Structures are given as structure tokens and as C-alpha cells.
Amino acid sequence: MRRAYVALAAATVMGLAACGGGGSYSTVVGKIRNTGHVVVGTKWDQPSLGLVVGPGDPQGFDVDVARYIVNYLAHGRHVDITWRESPSSAREALLQNGSVDLIVATYTITEARRPKVTFAGPYVIVQQDTMVRATDTSIKKVSDLRGKRLCLAEGSNSYRRVVDPPPDGKLDLPAVLVNAANYSDCVRKLTDHRLDAVSTQNLILAGFAQQEPGRFRLLNDPIIDERWAVGIKKGDAATCEAVNQAIAAMWHDGTATRLLHKWFGKTGLKLPWYLPKPEGCP
Ligand code: GLU
């Protein structure tokens, strides 16, 4: 009897030790169902994806996707969401230290990130393209980026697709990297002629471009398909499986398509139209 009690106590302690988001549950899906509260990380500076305007919650496609997933995980019960800014440079650390429970923030699955993050999804597959000033006729295709000044948004993988080889790079082109804090900083520097090109997923670029019509041009010369996934604390397989079910439901009931059109319908981009194959929850 006593031995059984000790074993149970040890299991409980292990469960607590594995918990994320500062709660007393071993999985995020358990936390959502038992406490009705969750901390979600999104971008706060990316128009149409995750953008904070004024005092309210962030707005955009990723924010709406996160709301859908949380509601699905909660079986329709009301959940309070605390939104936390999750810049590219801090995402892995925010998950590891439990400051956020889920990250939905244009977060690509990469080999370098896999050991640190459990990725659910992907929830959408998006092409990487390149944006230049509309007036710059010297860059018409990606190979014209040789020797040009390319933005390196801190913590983001996208610049590697241009300047590095696989697995996390692609083209291995010699471009001159210019540091920026995030993608809104990249776009500011592009406007100010402090760099020549920003290369990342076309939905990110189009979000900025549609804020200032006529100022920028997308090359429409795709580099690679990027898998945007939901970041979860490493090892929380139960939440990963539940999020994968939510993503499938979001495509099957038409919500994913509706949200893509809501946020990007006027960009002229060919929008993603299918449920990506889940990568599995190791
Ligand atoms: N999806 C890319 C990445 O995760 C670029 C955008 C971002 O950093 O959020 O590196």
C-alpha cells in the first residue's frame, strides 16, 4: 500500500516538473481544459499575421488560427488567452522557460529548432519570396541578390534560404547581410535604402506591402515551401496530437480558407488551399 502511494507521488512530481506555462498540469491541453487559461505567443509587428494596434489584443491570421486551436482544445468551453509577444529571436527560449504555452508566429519547422521545440502541424505551407523597393529595377529574380544587401531578421531562418546551403539554407548565394531586430525593422530599412531586399514567406511580405500600396514589389520568384507550425514545449506530445486534430478540423470546416481570404484576399497572391500533411509528434 505504502509503496503504491510513493510511486503515485513520484509520477505526480514528474508531471509537475514537465509542466509548461507556469501551471500545475503536465500538458498544455490539460492546462487549457482544467484552468480555462492559456498563454499564447504571436508576433506583434507583422501586419495581417500578428499585429498589435492600440491597447487591444493582437490581430491577424496567426492570432485567429491560435484562437481556433485553443477553442478546439477546450471543447468549446471559454478560455482566457493571455497574448505574449514572441519575436523570432525569443521563441525557443519562451517555450523552454514556460513563459508561453503555445506559439503561433510564422514559425517554420527547421532542423536547428527540432531539438528544442515540439512542432504541431504544419497548419499552412507558404512560399518564400523576396521583396524590394518598387523603384529598384536591378533585382528581378533571386539570383540578382548576389552582392546585394539582404535583411537578417534576428532569430529568423529566412535569410539562410538565400545565403546558406541545405538543410536550413537553400541557394547558397553571396549576399551582404544587414541586421534587423525583426521584419518591421527590415521593412523600415528597405524603405530607407539601408538594405536592398527582404526575403521571407510571401504572406509576411504581402502583409507589409498591402499597408503601403505601390512602395514595394514582390519578385514572385519562389525559393522554397516553408512549413508554419505551432510551437509547443519540447516533449508535450499530447498537446501536439490535440493541436494536429484542431488543424485538420480548421481545414475541413473551411475556417483556414476563410481566414486566409480574410487577411490576404486582396493581396493578389495565390493562397494556400490544402491541409498540409502533419509531421507527427515525436
Ligand atoms: N518563418 C520564418 C522563420 O521562422 C521567418 C519568419 C519568422 O522568423 O517568424 O524563421
Side-chain angles (χ1 to χ4, degrees):
M1 182 69 188
R2 184 169 169 77
R3 182 175 294 173
Y5 171 79
V6 170
L8 185 67
T12 308
V13 169
M14 280 169 68
L16 291 177
C19 79
S24 55
Y25 295 92
S26 57
T27 67
V28 168
V29 65
K31 175 179 171 176
I32 289 173
R33 288 179 188 157
N34 288 294
T35 69
H37 177 239
V38 67
V39 183
V40 176
T42 67
K43 294 295 180 72
W44 283 18
D45 72 308
Q46 291 184 191
S48 298
L49 284 157
L51 184 70
V52 170
V53 196
D57 292 342
Q59 294 171 24
F61 175 72
D62 276 345
V63 176
D64 287 349
V65 167
R67 277 208 182 90
Y68 183 98
I69 289 170
V70 167
N71 284 334
Y72 187 95
L73 264 46
H75 297 316
R77 184 187 152 189
H78 174 77
V79 179
D80 283 324
I81 301 179
T82 300
W83 300 97
R84 187 150 292 162
E85 183 173 21
S86 301
S88 301
S89 56
R91 288 178 295 207
E92 290 83 43
L94 289 170
L95 286 169
Q96 279 170 340
N97 69 23
S99 305
V100 298
D101 296 311
L102 298 172
I103 289 190
V104 186
T106 66
Y107 203 2
T108 293
I109 301 170
T110 68
E111 291 313 308
R113 291 170 185 158
R114 274 188 199 278
K116 302 177 199 153
V117 181
T118 288
F119 285 111
Y123 57 95
V124 74
I125 292 184
V126 189
Q127 285 184 336
Q128 176 156 339
D129 197 6
T130 303
M131 187 166 87
V132 299
R133 286 179 295 278
T135 50
D136 184 346
T137 52
S138 70
I139 308 175
K140 295 202 174 66
K141 50 190 188 313
V142 259
S143 55
D144 296 334
L145 292 175
R146 284 170 197 281
K148 296 288 187 181
R149 295 170 302 170
L150 178 72
C151 197
L152 186 171
E154 202 188 334
S156 178
N157 189 66
S158 301
Y159 75 95
R160 291 187 209 280
R161 302 296 192 197
V162 178
V163 301
D164 286 348
D168 288 343
K170 174 92 199 280
L171 301 174
D172 210 6
L173 286 178
V176 180
L177 297 173
V178 176
N179 287 297
N182 50 35
Y183 280 101
S184 48
D185 194 24
C186 286
V187 173
R188 242 183 333 267
K189 288 181 166 148
L190 178 62
T191 304
D192 297 347
H193 292 248
R194 284 186 282 162
L195 52 84
D196 304 307
V198 183
S199 191
T200 190
Q201 284 79 71
N202 60 9
L203 295 188
I204 299 177
L205 299 173
F208 285 106
Q210 69 181 349
Q211 278 203 325
E212 298 182 78
R215 192 185 276 278
F216 306 112
R217 180 164 52 82
L218 271 65
L219 300 187
N220 195 17
D221 187 6
I223 296 172
I224 193 168
D225 284 342
E226 296 274 333
R227 296 158 296 163
W228 284 359
V230 177
I232 301 167
K233 191 172 198 163
K234 184 73 192 167
D236 185 351
T239 301
C240 177
E241 302 283 2
V243 170
N244 279 348
Q245 287 174 19
I247 291 168
M250 179 176 76
W251 279 95
H252 287 139
D253 71 10
T255 302
T257 302
R258 182 175 60 75
L259 293 177
L260 284 162
H261 280 87
K262 170 183 170 189
W263 293 104
F264 301 102
K266 296 196 182 104
T267 60
L269 289 181
K270 187 166 190 286
L271 299 175
W273 73 95
Y274 63 91
L275 166 66
K277 190 170 168 297
E279 300 259 322
C281 298

